[in-house]
Amino acid sequence: MFFANTMIFVVTYIVLFVFVTARVVLTPGDYSTKAWLIISYVAVVVLQIVMIANFTLGEMAIDGAGYFFRRLLAVGTLLLPVLVSRYVVAGKYGHFHLPSVEDATTIGISTIFATTDLFKRAADKASETKEKLCIKNLKEGAVELMRHDSFNYINNGSLTEEYFTKAAEAMDDPNIYLIISKTGSPVSEIISIFTQKNYNHASLSFDRDLQTIISYNGGERVYPPGLNAEMLEHLHKTTDARILVYSLHCPTDKKRIMLDKVREINKEGSAYNMMGLMINRSHKPNIMYCSQFVYKMLQYAEIAHFDRPSGKVNPTDLIEQDYYKKLTFIKEITF
């Protein structure tokens, strides 16, 4: 980290800012004190970025005898938000008090090692984030964003009668199939920065052979974003893509309810809930994202295996929230 470039430092500052701010929000305490703490964190991160870009590692600080000192200062400034979080929040068991003189002057060895480990993990995360926020992914994300509409139905009738015929043929299969994917697409890579999960797409299939996969997606630039059929080849964009397939018991009458709802959405229209990824809200009933759609289908059929608001369900929740072991692992598909 000592010899990292300016970008790594800036990303690390931002990651630490998000971390300590989240700690303040989630820790019980006086709201006014929380507000002042968050304002302080904002001031700290702005100061850090200005210093690193202009005085510490910027063009003004490339040469000179003070190179080592400036590098040391750059690393030292990482401590500012962490120390505030350590002594003001965690050090007082969730109650906000200013640190005492004793607190401020006694930093144990364990604290130093813990802080060092935090820096290492933050640096690793910053490096990973930098890779995911490469120009290629950002351009792809921008193009995809222009195709979406989180307020109006823009997809209508993308599912053909051929699809519904195949799905109807699978009604005797006593299971519905959940597909959790790590697609490796540029958009999913960006989404993973916020979800902190490797698997960021969910689909469902009416048949075990996965010939009737369906979900909310971008439409592969063939159909508008919204409710679309999927094929396995569309679920992997990189060689390290992974697909996990699980089955969930679903009697024929329940599957018909689910399929009828899919037909209804296909007729009424749909759109991908891009905005909902950030604020967990849907402007219209048929505006959803992938895991939200899958979970709602399970709710319609009354076979949901856990209880949570659909707008707060992530793809991995469909597996991780299976406390009653209703799911059966079928296979992992690699490419």
Side-chain angles (χ1 to χ4, degrees):
M1 189 68 191
F2 187 82
F3 296 102
N5 60 29
T6 302
M7 178 59 72
I8 294 297
F9 272 105
V10 170
V11 173
T12 304
Y13 290 149
I14 294 174
V15 170
L16 289 174
F17 166 73
V18 172
F19 173 76
V20 296
T21 301
R23 287 287 300 276
V24 169
V25 173
L26 296 175
T27 303
D30 177 67
Y31 287 111
S32 62
T33 306
K34 286 187 177 187
W36 278 111
L37 280 169
I38 293 174
I39 292 172
S40 298
Y41 289 146
V42 171
V44 167
V45 75
V46 170
L47 177 64
Q48 287 173 323
I49 294 174
V50 170
M51 286 183 61
I52 203 78
N54 295 282
F55 306 108
T56 312
L57 300 182
E59 294 181 359
M60 297 172 57
I62 293 177
D63 301 314
Y67 173 81
F68 180 83
F69 173 76
R70 287 191 293 267
R71 282 279 174 180
L72 192 61
L73 180 62
V75 175
T77 54
L78 289 168
L79 289 168
L80 293 176
V82 177
L83 290 177
V84 171
S85 177
R86 169 65 180 84
Y87 289 111
V88 180
V89 183
K92 294 299 180 182
Y93 305 101
H95 299 286
F96 294 99
H97 302 285
L98 290 176
S100 65
V101 175
E102 182 181 359
D103 284 338
T105 57
T106 56
I107 301 178
I109 296 298
S110 60
T111 302
I112 294 174
F113 280 124
T115 304
T116 302
D117 182 62
L118 176 62
F119 290 158
K120 184 179 183 301
R121 286 186 280 116
D124 292 341
K125 182 59 65 176
S127 178
E128 179 184 342
T129 300
K130 181 181 177 182
E131 291 179 6
K132 292 179 178 180
L133 290 177
C134 64
I135 298 300
K136 176 184 176 183
N137 286 357
L138 290 175
K139 285 183 177 180
E140 180 76 16
V143 171
E144 278 298 306
L145 188 62
M146 296 300 293
R147 299 178 60 243
H148 286 71
D149 191 329
S150 294
F151 298 94
N152 301 290
Y153 295 156
I154 58 175
N155 181 307
N156 182 273
S158 66
L159 299 180
T160 65
E161 281 304 317
E162 180 181 1
Y163 172 84
F164 287 105
T165 298
K166 286 184 179 180
E169 292 172 354
M171 289 298 104
D172 291 335
D173 186 329
N175 297 300
I176 197 76
Y177 298 89
L178 308 185
I179 300 101
I180 312 299
S181 310
K182 175 190 176 185
T183 65
S185 70
V187 174
S188 69
E189 289 292 282
I190 294 175
I191 291 175
S192 70
I193 296 174
F194 301 96
T195 64
Q196 297 297 299
K197 302 288 186 179
N198 288 323
Y199 292 83
N200 289 290
H201 187 60
S203 317
L204 66 82
S205 174
F206 290 97
D207 70 294
R208 188 184 182 91
D209 295 329
L210 308 182
Q211 298 298 307
T212 55
I213 306 177
I214 189 175
S215 188
Y216 269 59
N217 54 52
E220 292 295 318
R221 300 190 184 178
V222 176
Y223 299 103
L227 177 63
N228 290 296
E230 294 180 335
M231 294 185 288
L232 287 179
E233 52 264 37
H234 292 162
L235 296 179
H236 72 96
K237 306 298 181 182
T238 58
T239 55
D240 65 341
R242 296 287 188 275
I243 295 175
L244 304 177
V245 183
Y246 292 81
S247 67
L248 177 63
H249 180 66
C250 184
T252 298
D253 58 329
K254 302 289 187 180
K255 292 182 78 170
R256 292 193 184 282
I257 291 173
M258 201 178 298
L259 185 59
D260 288 343
K261 187 61 180 179
V262 168
R263 185 183 288 277
E264 178 184 317
I265 295 174
N266 188 58
K267 182 178 179 180
E268 292 178 351
S270 63
Y272 189 91
N273 191 17
M274 183 68 76
M275 186 176 65
L277 294 173
M278 297 174 285
I279 64 172
N280 298 323
R281 292 290 185 274
S282 296
H283 186 65
K284 291 183 177 181
N286 295 350
I287 298 180
M288 294 178 267
Y289 50 83
C290 60
S291 52
Q292 185 180 14
F293 162 73
V294 171
Y295 185 73
K296 273 196 171 184
M297 291 302 102
L298 301 182
Q299 285 184 314
Y300 282 126
E302 298 181 342
I303 60 169
H305 52 296
F306 62 96
D307 185 22
R308 175 171 290 187
S310 62
K312 296 183 178 181
V313 175
N314 296 321
T316 53
D317 287 338
L318 295 166
I319 302 172
E320 295 170 353
Q321 299 297 315
D322 182 28
Y323 298 127
Y324 299 103
K325 305 300 181 184
K326 297 293 184 69
L327 299 179
T328 300
F329 177 72
I330 301 298
K331 60 182 174 180
E332 178 184 27
I333 302 174
T334 59
F335 302 92

Coordinates of all heavy atoms in Angstrom, one line a residue, residues 20 23-24 37 41 79-112 115:
V20 N -17.3 3.2 7.5 CA -17.5 3.9 8.8 C -18.9 4.6 8.8 O -19.5 4.7 9.8 CB -16.4 4.9 9.1 CG1 -15.1 4.2 9.3 CG2 -16.3 6.0 8.0
R23 N -21.4 2.0 9.6 CA -21.4 1.7 11.0 C -22.2 2.7 11.8 O -22.9 2.4 12.8 CB -19.9 1.7 11.5 CG -19.1 0.5 11.1 CD -19.5 -0.8 11.8 NE -19.3 -0.6 13.2 CZ -18.2 -0.8 13.9 NH1 -17.1 -1.2 13.2 NH2 -18.1 -0.7 15.2
V24 N -22.0 4.0 11.5 CA -22.8 5.0 12.2 C -24.3 4.8 12.0 O -25.0 4.9 13.0 CB -22.3 6.4 11.7 CG1 -23.3 7.5 12.2 CG2 -20.9 6.7 12.1
L37 N -21.4 13.1 13.0 CA -20.4 12.2 12.6 C -20.3 11.9 11.1 O -19.2 11.9 10.6 CB -20.6 10.8 13.3 CG -20.3 10.8 14.8 CD1 -20.8 9.5 15.5 CD2 -18.7 10.8 15.0
Y41 N -17.2 12.6 8.6 CA -16.6 11.6 7.7 C -16.5 12.2 6.3 O -15.6 11.9 5.5 CB -17.4 10.4 7.7 CG -17.3 9.5 9.0 CD1 -18.4 8.8 9.5 CD2 -16.1 9.5 9.7 CE1 -18.3 8.1 10.6 CE2 -16.0 8.8 10.9 CZ -17.1 8.1 11.3 OH -17.0 7.3 12.5
L79 N -5.9 6.4 8.6 CA -6.3 6.1 10.0 C -7.5 7.0 10.4 O -8.2 6.7 11.4 CB -5.1 6.3 10.9 CG -4.0 5.3 10.9 CD1 -2.8 5.8 11.6 CD2 -4.5 4.0 11.5
L80 N -7.6 8.2 9.8 CA -8.6 9.2 10.3 C -10.0 8.6 10.5 O -10.5 8.6 11.6 CB -8.6 10.4 9.4 CG -7.3 11.2 9.4 CD1 -7.4 12.4 8.4 CD2 -7.0 11.8 10.8
P81 N -10.7 8.1 9.4 CA -12.0 7.6 9.7 C -12.1 6.4 10.5 O -13.0 6.1 11.2 CB -12.6 7.4 8.2 CG -11.3 7.1 7.4 CD -10.3 8.0 8.0
V82 N -11.0 5.5 10.4 CA -11.0 4.3 11.2 C -10.9 4.6 12.7 O -11.6 3.9 13.5 CB -9.8 3.4 10.7 CG1 -9.8 2.1 11.6 CG2 -10.0 3.1 9.3
L83 N -10.1 5.5 13.0 CA -10.0 5.8 14.5 C -11.2 6.5 15.0 O -11.7 6.2 16.1 CB -8.8 6.8 14.7 CG -7.4 6.2 14.5 CD1 -6.3 7.3 14.6 CD2 -7.2 5.1 15.4
V84 N -11.9 7.3 14.2 CA -13.2 7.9 14.6 C -14.2 6.8 14.9 O -14.9 6.7 15.9 CB -13.7 8.9 13.6 CG1 -15.1 9.3 13.9 CG2 -12.8 10.1 13.5
S85 N -14.2 5.8 13.9 CA -15.2 4.7 14.0 C -14.8 3.8 15.2 O -15.7 3.4 16.0 CB -15.1 3.8 12.8 OG -16.0 2.7 12.9
R86 N -13.5 3.6 15.4 CA -13.1 2.7 16.5 C -13.4 3.3 17.9 O -13.9 2.6 18.8 CB -11.6 2.5 16.4 CG -10.9 1.8 17.6 CD -11.4 0.4 17.8 NE -10.8 -0.3 18.9 CZ -11.2 -0.1 20.2 NH1 -12.3 0.6 20.5 NH2 -10.6 -0.7 21.2
Y87 N -13.1 4.5 18.1 CA -13.3 5.1 19.5 C -14.6 5.7 19.7 O -15.1 5.7 20.9 CB -12.2 6.1 19.7 CG -10.8 5.5 19.9 CD1 -9.8 5.6 18.9 CD2 -10.6 4.7 21.0 CE1 -8.6 5.0 19.0 CE2 -9.3 4.0 21.1 CZ -8.4 4.2 20.2 OH -7.2 3.5 20.3
V88 N -15.2 6.3 18.7 CA -16.5 7.0 18.9 C -17.7 6.0 18.9 O -18.7 6.1 19.6 CB -16.7 8.1 17.9 CG1 -18.0 8.8 18.1 CG2 -15.6 9.1 18.0
V89 N -17.6 5.0 18.0 CA -18.7 4.0 17.8 C -18.4 2.7 18.5 O -19.0 2.4 19.5 CB -19.0 3.8 16.3 CG1 -20.2 2.9 16.1 CG2 -19.2 5.1 15.6
A90 N -17.5 1.9 18.0 CA -17.3 0.6 18.5 C -16.8 0.6 19.9 O -17.2 -0.2 20.8 CB -16.3 -0.2 17.6
G91 N -15.9 1.5 20.3 CA -15.3 1.6 21.6 C -16.3 1.9 22.7 O -15.9 1.7 23.9
K92 N -17.4 2.4 22.4 CA -18.4 2.7 23.4 C -19.7 1.9 23.3 O -20.8 2.3 23.7 CB -18.7 4.2 23.3 CG -17.6 5.1 23.7 CD -17.1 4.9 25.1 CE -15.9 5.8 25.4 NZ -15.4 5.5 26.8
Y93 N -19.6 0.7 22.7 CA -20.7 -0.2 22.6 C -22.0 0.3 22.0 O -23.1 0.1 22.4 CB -21.0 -0.8 24.0 CG -19.8 -1.4 24.7 CD1 -19.1 -0.6 25.7 CD2 -19.4 -2.6 24.4 CE1 -18.0 -1.2 26.3 CE2 -18.3 -3.2 25.0 CZ -17.6 -2.5 26.0 OH -16.5 -3.0 26.6
G94 N -21.7 1.1 21.0 CA -22.9 1.6 20.3 C -23.4 3.0 20.8 O -24.3 3.5 20.2
H95 N -22.9 3.5 21.9 CA -23.4 4.8 22.4 C -22.3 5.8 22.1 O -21.1 5.6 22.3 CB -23.6 4.7 23.9 CG -24.6 3.7 24.3 ND1 -26.0 3.9 24.2 CD2 -24.5 2.5 24.9 CE1 -26.6 2.9 24.6 NE2 -25.8 2.0 25.0
F96 N -22.7 7.0 21.6 CA -21.8 8.0 21.1 C -21.3 8.9 22.2 O -22.1 9.6 22.8 CB -22.5 8.8 20.0 CG -22.8 7.9 18.8 CD1 -24.1 7.4 18.6 CD2 -21.8 7.6 17.8 CE1 -24.4 6.7 17.5 CE2 -22.1 6.9 16.7 CZ -23.4 6.4 16.6
H97 N -20.0 8.8 22.5 CA -19.4 9.7 23.4 C -18.0 10.0 22.9 O -17.4 9.2 22.2 CB -19.2 9.0 24.8 CG -20.4 8.5 25.4 ND1 -21.3 9.4 26.0 CD2 -21.0 7.3 25.6 CE1 -22.4 8.7 26.5 NE2 -22.1 7.4 26.2
L98 N -17.5 11.2 23.2 CA -16.2 11.6 22.7 C -15.2 10.7 23.5 O -15.4 10.4 24.6 CB -16.0 13.1 23.0 CG -16.8 14.0 22.1 CD1 -16.5 15.5 22.6 CD2 -16.4 13.9 20.7
P99 N -14.1 10.3 22.8 CA -13.1 9.5 23.5 C -12.4 10.3 24.6 O -12.2 11.4 24.6 CB -12.1 9.2 22.4 CG -12.3 10.3 21.4 CD -13.7 10.7 21.4
S100 N -12.1 9.5 25.7 CA -11.4 10.1 26.8 C -9.9 10.2 26.4 O -9.4 9.7 25.4 CB -11.5 9.2 28.0 OG -10.9 8.0 27.8
V101 N -9.2 10.9 27.3 CA -7.7 11.1 27.1 C -7.0 9.7 27.1 O -6.2 9.4 26.3 CB -7.1 12.0 28.1 CG1 -5.6 12.0 28.0 CG2 -7.7 13.4 28.0
E102 N -7.5 8.8 28.0 CA -7.0 7.5 28.1 C -7.2 6.7 26.9 O -6.3 6.0 26.3 CB -7.6 6.8 29.3 CG -7.0 5.4 29.5 CD -7.6 4.7 30.7 OE1 -8.5 5.3 31.4 OE2 -7.3 3.5 31.0
D103 N -8.4 6.8 26.3 CA -8.8 6.1 25.1 C -7.8 6.6 24.0 O -7.4 5.8 23.1 CB -10.2 6.4 24.7 CG -11.2 5.6 25.5 OD1 -10.8 4.6 26.1 OD2 -12.4 6.0 25.6
A104 N -7.7 7.9 23.9 CA -6.9 8.5 22.8 C -5.4 8.2 22.8 O -4.7 8.3 21.8 CB -7.1 10.0 22.7
T105 N -4.9 7.8 24.0 CA -3.5 7.5 24.1 C -3.1 6.1 24.3 O -1.9 5.8 24.5 CB -2.9 8.4 25.3 OG1 -3.7 8.0 26.5 CG2 -3.1 9.8 25.1
T106 N -4.1 5.2 24.3 CA -3.8 3.8 24.5 C -4.3 3.0 23.4 O -5.4 2.5 23.4 CB -4.4 3.3 25.8 OG1 -5.8 3.5 25.8 CG2 -3.8 4.0 27.0
I107 N -3.5 2.8 22.4 CA -3.8 2.0 21.2 C -3.0 0.7 21.4 O -1.8 0.7 21.3 CB -3.4 2.6 19.9 CG1 -4.2 3.9 19.7 CG2 -3.8 1.7 18.7 CD1 -3.8 4.7 18.5
G108 N -3.7 -0.4 21.7 CA -3.1 -1.7 21.9 C -2.5 -2.3 20.7 O -2.8 -1.9 19.5
I109 N -1.6 -3.3 20.9 CA -1.1 -4.0 19.7 C -2.1 -4.7 18.9 O -2.1 -4.7 17.7 CB -0.1 -5.1 20.3 CG1 1.1 -4.4 21.0 CG2 0.4 -6.0 19.1 CD1 1.9 -3.5 20.0
S110 N -3.2 -5.3 19.6 CA -4.2 -5.9 18.9 C -5.0 -5.0 18.0 O -5.4 -5.3 16.9 CB -5.2 -6.6 19.9 OG -5.8 -5.6 20.7
T111 N -5.2 -3.7 18.5 CA -5.8 -2.7 17.7 C -5.0 -2.4 16.4 O -5.5 -2.2 15.3 CB -6.1 -1.4 18.5 OG1 -6.9 -1.8 19.6 CG2 -6.8 -0.4 17.7
I112 N -3.7 -2.3 16.6 CA -2.8 -1.9 15.5 C -2.9 -3.0 14.4 O -3.0 -2.8 13.2 CB -1.4 -1.7 16.0 CG1 -1.3 -0.5 16.9 CG2 -0.4 -1.6 14.8 CD1 0.1 -0.3 17.5
T115 N -6.2 -3.0 12.7 CA -6.3 -1.8 11.7 C -5.5 -2.2 10.5 O -5.9 -1.9 9.4 CB -5.8 -0.6 12.4 OG1 -6.5 -0.3 13.6 CG2 -5.9 0.6 11.5

